[in-house]
Amino acid sequence: MSAVAAEGAAATAPPHRGLITLSVMLASIMQALDNTIANVALPRIQGSLSATQDQMTWVLTSYIIAAAIMTPLSGWLAGQVGRKRVFLFSVVGFTVASALCGLAGTLPEIVLARLLQGLCGAALIPMSQAVLLDINPPKEHAKAMAIWVMAVTIGPILGPALGGWLTENYNWRWVFYINVPFGILAFLGILSFMPETQRRKSRFDFFGFTALSLAIGAFQLMLDRGQLKDWFASSEIWVEAIVAGLAFYLFVVHMLTTTKAPFISPAMFKDRNFVTGNFFIFVVGVVLFATLALLPPLLQDLLNYPVVLAGLVTAPRGFGTLAAMLIVGRLMGRIDTRIIIATGFALTAFSLWQMTGFYLQMGTASVVWSGLAQGLGTGFVYVPLAAITFATLSPQFRNEGTAVFSLIRNIGSSVGISVVTTLLTRNTQAMHSRLAEQVTPFSDVMHAQAPDAFTSASGLAALNATVSSQAAMIAYNDDFKLMMVLTLCAVPLVGLLRRGAAARDNAPVAIE
């Protein structure tokens, strides 16, 4: 972008930029926090509502599917009615839905409320990213994305600790009620300070939206229920996989061949940085959220940590991300962005290598230091990636682009969680069999360590519990090793990114 254009962008930047940033960040933190805060409360919710384990999966699945379907629609809605109106309706809907979740007295009530939460909250993350990119000049995009990443990553990291503390000290309903004051503050801030964007009217591509929604919904349902139904041994999973594949094929063909305005503009995917950035955010989604899904059961079920302690020892991951944001904000513009991203992937791989050495008798220091290293790595990747992905993309695609960016990250997290949980279950069973083969009454080690293990039922039960714990620990280590290899494989692909010259049409979005 020319110097004149840059000056024009700065000159027309909206007033109250700090208050706009604070308002959209409150909304983003509220939504990001809700992705994980309810997970630790599920056992209490299950007991309170007298639901089965299978039924409780719908509390999470309904939210995930609704959010996934609505995320790409948020870009089109922002063009039709204005980004501010979309934001306001989303915040109101999400806040009301949170209150309804807390008030729910039956399983259908909380599932419907979570469905509404997902529908209304889907726009908050991508729209907040688009807002920060628009209200800041290009030279400030790295700092703006550092703030945005803070909300997106800190929420899921702190969610389990906060959810556990609220559940233990108050009630599971406060896991949802806590959103209400944040929602009110975010609504008032957005209403008072955020300018409205120029509307870009276009016809609604009903076929494209329906095909994409079917593909996303069926794929998410397959991922969420795959482990429960033993994957492709179940006819349900086959049906969901076929529907997802066929619907996505129809969506792609329709998008590339229609002469009218498609639901998602294919022109966006001509931008190499945008396409490569979406690939990397998929990897980040897999690694970050899969790790966050593995650590709570590892610490609480295997190492017997209380919920609050498990949250405290994983909190340094957030401090690492905050530190990385401060460092990256100073490095951007001075060092090639690709080097920063590669360094972040290397730090993340190092942290996962540390996790492959976890063992049953370890102290809290191993969890703290590996989490701190991963937090640093996540910040070094996420902040410059969020900036460089949109550095060469025309602002007219910003609403759609940020929606696709968030959708790909969410799909990556769903894929990562499904893969690691499936491998954890299967590898635990396999390792249990292999370890049990070595445990016999004729082993000299067994005679020396546990001479009475085979002479009583209690001894056999204790021995089986020990073997099961060791097998599960090895399975966790294997999952961390898999994610380490995936992260290392992503490092050479950083070269596909361009340095990130600003898009030619980088004027600020017009405001009314």
Side-chain angles (χ1 to χ4, degrees):
M1 189 176 83
S2 66
V4 175
E7 291 173 4
T12 56
H16 309 298
R17 192 162 56 182
L19 292 172
I20 296 171
T21 301
L22 177 62
S23 300
V24 299
M25 283 302 95
L26 275 175
S28 298
I29 290 172
M30 178 177 67
Q31 195 273 348
L33 193 67
D34 223 64
N35 283 332
T36 56
I37 194 173
N39 293 18
V40 294
L42 284 180
R44 300 288 180 90
I45 299 174
Q46 181 180 348
S48 176
L49 302 181
S50 302
T52 65
Q53 184 69 38
D54 189 19
Q55 290 172 331
M56 284 307 298
T57 60
W58 290 104
V59 175
L60 298 178
T61 302
S62 59
Y63 178 89
I64 293 170
I65 292 177
I69 291 173
M70 282 298 293
T71 297
L73 184 61
S74 62
W76 182 85
L77 286 174
Q80 304 309 299
V81 301
R83 190 186 295 152
K84 180 177 181 178
R85 291 181 181 88
V86 173
F87 233 124
L88 289 174
F89 281 118
S90 297
V91 170
V92 170
F94 190 85
T95 305
V96 171
S98 298
L100 291 176
C101 287
L103 293 169
T106 64
L107 182 68
E109 288 178 2
I110 196 170
V111 169
L112 288 174
R114 288 285 284 175
L115 189 70
L116 180 61
Q117 249 192 336
L119 291 173
C120 296
L124 296 179
I125 295 294
M127 291 299 101
S128 64
Q129 184 182 15
V131 167
L132 293 182
L133 287 170
D134 281 348
I135 67 174
N136 290 279
K139 66 179 181 180
E140 299 291 332
H141 279 182
K143 293 180 181 178
M145 289 301 95
I147 297 172
W148 179 76
V149 169
M150 179 178 67
V152 173
T153 57
I154 297 301
I157 290 170
L158 297 183
L162 181 58
W165 183 80
L166 289 171
T167 303
E168 287 289 329
N169 293 281
Y170 295 95
N171 189 286
W172 66 264
R173 298 182 186 276
W174 282 99
V175 167
F176 301 105
Y177 289 149
I178 194 174
N179 289 331
V180 176
F182 288 106
I184 294 172
L185 289 174
F187 176 83
L188 294 176
I190 293 166
L191 180 65
S192 303
F193 304 113
M194 183 187 290
E196 185 57 280
T197 55
Q198 185 178 20
R199 301 177 203 175
R200 299 175 183 269
K201 294 287 185 178
S202 62
R203 291 186 58 182
F204 182 64
D205 181 11
F206 183 79
F207 182 87
F209 171 70
T210 303
L212 184 60
S213 298
L214 273 175
I216 294 172
F219 186 63
Q220 289 283 359
L221 202 58
M222 182 190 77
L223 292 175
D224 292 338
R225 294 179 60 80
Q227 176 61 26
L228 185 66
K229 296 292 183 179
D230 196 22
W231 291 100
F232 291 100
S234 166
S235 57
E236 176 191 329
I237 301 302
W238 272 107
V239 170
E240 289 160 358
I242 292 170
V243 170
L246 180 60
F248 185 70
Y249 169 77
L250 292 174
F251 167 75
V252 172
V253 171
H254 175 74
M255 179 180 68
L256 296 177
T257 59
T258 183
T259 56
K260 301 176 182 178
F263 181 62
I264 292 180
S265 303
M268 287 192 303
F269 300 100
K270 295 179 181 179
D271 187 290
R272 192 170 81 183
N273 271 12
F274 180 74
V275 174
T276 310
N278 276 284
F279 166 77
F280 283 127
I281 202 62
F282 178 86
V283 175
V284 170
V286 169
V287 173
L288 174 62
F289 288 94
T291 306
L292 292 176
L294 287 175
L295 284 176
L298 167 62
L299 297 176
Q300 295 174 45
D301 300 339
L302 204 57
L303 302 184
N304 298 315
Y305 280 31
V307 173
V308 176
L309 179 59
L312 289 175
V313 297
T314 54
R317 185 183 311 273
F319 296 126
T321 303
L322 288 173
M325 291 170 191
L326 297 175
I327 298 170
V328 170
R330 296 179 179 273
L331 293 180
M332 288 284 286
R334 301 181 182 180
I335 298 178
D336 191 333
T337 305
R338 295 170 295 184
I339 295 177
I340 300 175
I341 295 174
T343 302
F345 277 123
L347 281 170
T348 303
F350 173 72
S351 71
L352 290 166
W353 172 77
Q354 290 181 302
M355 293 178 196
T356 61
F358 281 179
Y359 57 99
L360 293 173
Q361 292 77 33
M362 69 179 181
T364 57
S366 299
V367 184
V368 170
W369 287 112
S370 61
L372 188 66
Q374 190 175 46
L376 279 168
T378 300
F380 269 84
V381 172
Y382 214 149
V383 175
L385 184 61
I388 200 171
T389 301
F390 298 92
T392 55
L393 187 70
S394 175
Q396 66 176 320
F397 297 126
R398 196 160 281 163
N399 287 331
E400 288 182 78
T402 53
V404 171
F405 191 71
S406 292
L407 175 64
I408 296 298
R409 188 204 66 190
N410 290 338
I411 291 175
S413 67
S414 296
V415 170
I417 292 170
S418 293
V419 169
V420 297
T421 51
T422 298
L423 290 176
L424 178 65
T425 301
R426 297 188 176 184
N427 288 343
T428 299
Q429 295 170 348
M431 290 309 305
H432 187 282
S433 298
R434 291 179 60 183
L435 291 175
E437 291 175 357
Q438 311 302 318
V439 180
T440 68
F442 311 105
S443 168
D444 293 337
V445 175
M446 288 302 304
H447 277 296
Q449 299 295 327
D452 301 325
F454 294 93
T455 60
S456 65
S458 59
L460 286 171
L463 184 59
N464 182 66
T466 301
V467 172
S468 298
S469 297
Q470 291 289 352
M473 190 73 259
I474 295 171
Y476 276 110
N477 291 342
D478 287 343
D479 272 353
F480 293 132
K481 187 179 298 182
L482 173 65
M483 289 188 287
M484 179 189 72
V485 172
L486 175 64
T487 305
L488 288 173
C489 289
V491 174
L493 300 177
V494 172
L496 295 174
L497 290 166
R498 293 175 178 172
R499 293 181 65 93
R504 290 187 297 272
D505 183 20
N506 216 354
V509 174
I511 58 178
E512 296 177 346

